């Protein structure tokens, strides 16, 4: 469970949520629970959503990715302005790799005499340690999140630590950072198109951890893998706390490029072939060829998972369950790939969150946006 002692909760009428991934940009107009067009509601509502894919390039470099991201973002913002009349002042931007970097750090505060856990004490510890983490980063980054991901009092997990008298306080701090040039470009694009008074940046791992820890609150150990176009985001939760966050340079586009090169076809046709295979294939020969064309990518992806699990979990423990988030065309591919290694692998799709988020019948719920919406709803209401 994540803690936000220092956020000022407020029930804004509506807000904009932007999801910046490595291969697409999504956007949504959201009404938080309790404030949907003046009516009381227990769930947040997505009034409008859209997503635009970035082009699949033969090779990725920072300049082209920045340019493609800017163009897609401005298209998304334009569609939001055109299709929604909602009044808002704040825009939340969720960043996936490669647009953020993250650090976690465990901190212990212990005294011989018992002391009270106060908001002031937690704030002082958080500010001090966050400053240390920021000093370890490159000068060209901005700090966007300083969160408490886990708290233990006298060695025991606590959901309500304030006011308790203890001798030992253990905090797990999470901090994330984004490049200054990316932040400036994104801010400029948003302010040029939407009347935003405040733009807040967030990282995908913390947003996902917070949301899924609340949904699966009885599960103290699980992994969450988000497969993007160019990268995969891995989040490992152990003992109810973030054990590791990591990005792998393997994504859907790597499979597409491999198929396109092997079969000498366009990337568009390769993407269609991959989707066909993932949904069950056409015939044995077709399936075999796709498996051959993607085998090296799959093995590289599995090797990253194996390495991070071995390094992050003590005593050779294994991951009990992995939740995999990917587009509907390739979700089954990744789930099948990891199944021999992690028996309980679950492919997530938007229906997973249908009962938590309201939306109009015309909208096909976007999983990444829905995860973000649930996080912001809890943060601000």
């Amino acid at each position: 469970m994540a803690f936000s002692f220092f956020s000022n909760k407020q029930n804004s009428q509506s807000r904009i949520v932007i999801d910046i991934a490595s291969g697409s940009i999504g956007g949504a107009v959201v009404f938080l629970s309790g404030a949907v067009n003046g009516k009381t509601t227990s769930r947040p509502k997505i009034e409008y959503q859209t997503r635009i894919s970035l082009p699949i390039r033969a090779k990725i470099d920072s300049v082209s990715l920045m340019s493609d991201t800017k163009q897609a973002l401005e298209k998304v913002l334009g569609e939001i302005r055109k299709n929604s009349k909602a009044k808002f002042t704040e825009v939340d931007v969720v960043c996936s790799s490669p647009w953020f970097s993250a650090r976690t750090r465990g901190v212990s505060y212990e005294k011989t005499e018992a002391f009270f856990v106060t908001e002031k004490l937690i704030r002082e510890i958080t500010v001090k340690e966050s400053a240390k983490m920021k000093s370890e980063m490159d000068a060209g980054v901005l700090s966007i999140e300083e969160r408490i991901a886990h708290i233990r009092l006298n060695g025991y997990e606590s959901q309500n630590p304030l006011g308790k008298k203890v001798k030992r306080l253990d905090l797990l701090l999470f901090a994330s950072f984004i490049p200054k040039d990316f932040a400036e470009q994104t801010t400029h694009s948003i302010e040029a198109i939407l009347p935003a008074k405040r733009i807040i940046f967030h990282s995908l791992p913390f947003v996902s951890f917070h949301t899924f820890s609340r949904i699966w609150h009885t599960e103290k150990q699980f992994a969450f893998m988000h497969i993007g176009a160019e990268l995969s985001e891995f989040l490992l939760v152990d003992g109810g706390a973030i054990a590791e966050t990591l990005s792998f340079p393997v994504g859907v586009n790597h499979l597409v490029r491999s198929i396109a090169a092997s079969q000498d076809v366009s990337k568009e046709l390769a993407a269609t072939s991959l989707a066909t295979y993932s949904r069950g294939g056409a015939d044995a020969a077709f399936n075999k060829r796709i498996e051959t064309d993607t085998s090296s990518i799959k093995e590289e992806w599995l090797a990253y998972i194996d390495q991070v699990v071995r390094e992050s979990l003590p005593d050779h423990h294994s991951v009990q369950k992995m939740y995999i988030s990917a587009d509907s065309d390739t979700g089954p591919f990744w789930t099948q790939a990891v199944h021999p290694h992690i028996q309980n692998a679950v492919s997530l799709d938007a229906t997973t969150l249908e009962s938590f988020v309201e939306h109009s019948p015309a909208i096909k719920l976007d999983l990444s946006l829905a995860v973000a919406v649930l996080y912001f709803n809890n943060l601000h209401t």
Side-chain angles (χ1 to χ4, degrees):
M1 184 64 67
F3 299 83
S4 299
F5 294 118
F6 317 132
S7 63
N8 295 317
K9 291 194 174 187
Q10 54 185 343
N11 199 343
S12 303
Q13 175 74 8
S14 62
R15 58 200 307 116
I16 304 299
V17 175
I18 302 296
D19 174 48
I20 300 184
S22 62
S24 67
I25 310 296
V29 180
V30 181
F31 287 91
L32 303 181
S33 61
V36 180
N37 294 325
K39 299 179 181 179
T40 301
T41 176
S42 60
R43 297 183 294 168
K45 181 177 181 179
I46 296 178
E47 180 198 65
Y48 173 79
Q49 72 173 30
T50 184
R51 183 171 292 276
I52 293 177
S53 296
L54 276 61
I56 304 176
R57 296 187 177 275
K59 291 184 178 181
I60 294 295
D61 61 78
S62 59
V63 175
S64 62
L65 183 58
M66 184 83 102
S67 176
D68 291 343
T69 298
K70 181 178 186 294
Q71 292 180 41
L73 172 62
E74 291 178 352
K75 288 180 181 178
V76 166
L77 296 171
E79 290 188 8
I80 289 174
R81 183 177 63 182
K82 176 183 177 181
N83 291 286
S84 176
K85 303 299 181 183
K87 296 180 179 180
F88 61 90
T89 58
E90 297 186 346
V91 176
D92 289 296
V93 182
V94 180
C95 304
S96 298
S97 288
W99 301 119
F100 80 93
S101 56
R103 295 285 187 274
T104 57
R105 176 166 296 172
V107 182
S108 296
Y109 184 84
E110 189 171 11
K111 286 189 172 183
T112 304
E113 298 294 327
F115 58 90
F116 286 101
V117 179
T118 64
E119 182 175 327
K120 180 182 178 182
L121 174 62
I122 293 177
R123 184 191 295 273
E124 289 174 349
I125 296 172
T126 302
V127 170
K128 180 180 178 181
E129 294 301 324
S130 295
K132 289 181 182 179
M133 285 190 276
K134 186 174 181 179
S135 69
E136 298 165 0
M137 300 297 295
D138 183 81
V141 300
L142 294 175
S143 174
I144 60 170
E145 290 171 316
E146 298 171 355
R147 304 290 188 185
I148 301 169
H150 202 248
I151 293 181
R152 288 184 180 274
L153 304 180
N154 292 334
Y156 296 94
E157 181 181 357
S158 175
Q159 303 295 333
N160 302 292
L162 296 183
K164 303 293 175 60
K165 195 172 185 179
V166 299
K167 289 188 176 181
R168 181 184 175 97
L169 169 65
D170 293 300
L171 304 177
L172 179 66
L173 305 181
F174 177 93
S176 62
F177 310 85
I178 59 174
K180 287 182 180 179
D181 56 351
F182 167 74
E184 291 169 356
Q185 173 180 283
T186 303
T187 299
H188 180 269
S189 293
I190 294 173
E191 291 179 340
I193 298 174
L194 297 179
K197 293 184 178 180
R198 187 178 180 216
I199 300 168
I200 313 107
F201 290 91
H202 313 262
S203 69
L204 176 66
F206 194 83
V207 169
S208 301
F209 166 67
H210 188 280
T211 296
F212 291 130
S213 290
R214 292 179 66 85
I215 294 175
W216 305 317
H217 59 89
T218 60
E219 298 182 21
K220 297 302 181 182
Q221 197 239 56
F222 64 88
F224 171 70
M225 177 73 80
H226 174 73
I227 318 295
E230 301 294 344
L231 299 121
S232 293
E233 309 270 2
F234 183 80
L235 168 67
L236 180 61
V237 175
D238 189 40
I242 297 175
E244 185 62 89
T245 63
L246 199 66
S247 298
F248 307 151
V250 179
V252 175
N253 287 352
H254 293 77
L255 299 175
V256 172
R257 293 189 191 101
S258 181
I259 294 171
S262 176
Q263 301 184 15
D264 193 24
V265 297
S266 68
K267 291 186 288 290
E268 291 73 20
L269 183 55
T272 299
S273 295
L274 177 61
T276 301
Y277 170 81
S278 188
R279 290 194 295 264
D283 54 54
F286 174 87
N287 290 348
K288 181 64 176 179
R289 186 166 189 184
I290 296 296
E291 289 167 3
T292 300
D293 293 343
T294 58
S295 61
S296 63
I297 306 297
K298 181 177 72 174
E299 291 305 317
E300 181 183 1
W301 183 71
L302 291 172
Y304 279 116
I305 296 175
D306 181 62
Q307 180 180 351
V308 70
V309 169
R310 283 190 289 104
E311 294 177 352
S312 303
L313 292 181
D315 304 322
H316 306 290
H317 288 173
S318 60
V319 174
Q320 298 169 8
K321 180 180 286 189
M322 175 180 283
Y323 295 95
I324 298 176
S325 166
D327 62 73
S328 58
D329 285 339
T330 63
F333 174 91
W334 303 105
T335 305
Q336 293 165 15
V338 81
H339 192 264
H341 301 257
I342 300 175
Q343 292 292 313
N344 200 350
V346 181
S347 181
L348 299 176
D349 57 31
T351 60
T352 308
L353 302 181
E354 285 282 356
S355 61
F356 299 96
V357 181
E358 291 186 22
H359 60 90
S360 69
I363 291 177
K364 183 180 179 181
L365 195 62
D366 182 299
L367 177 61
S368 295
L369 288 171
V371 169
V373 167
L374 288 171
Y375 171 69
F376 300 128
N377 191 68
N378 176 256
L379 193 65
H380 297 295
T381 61

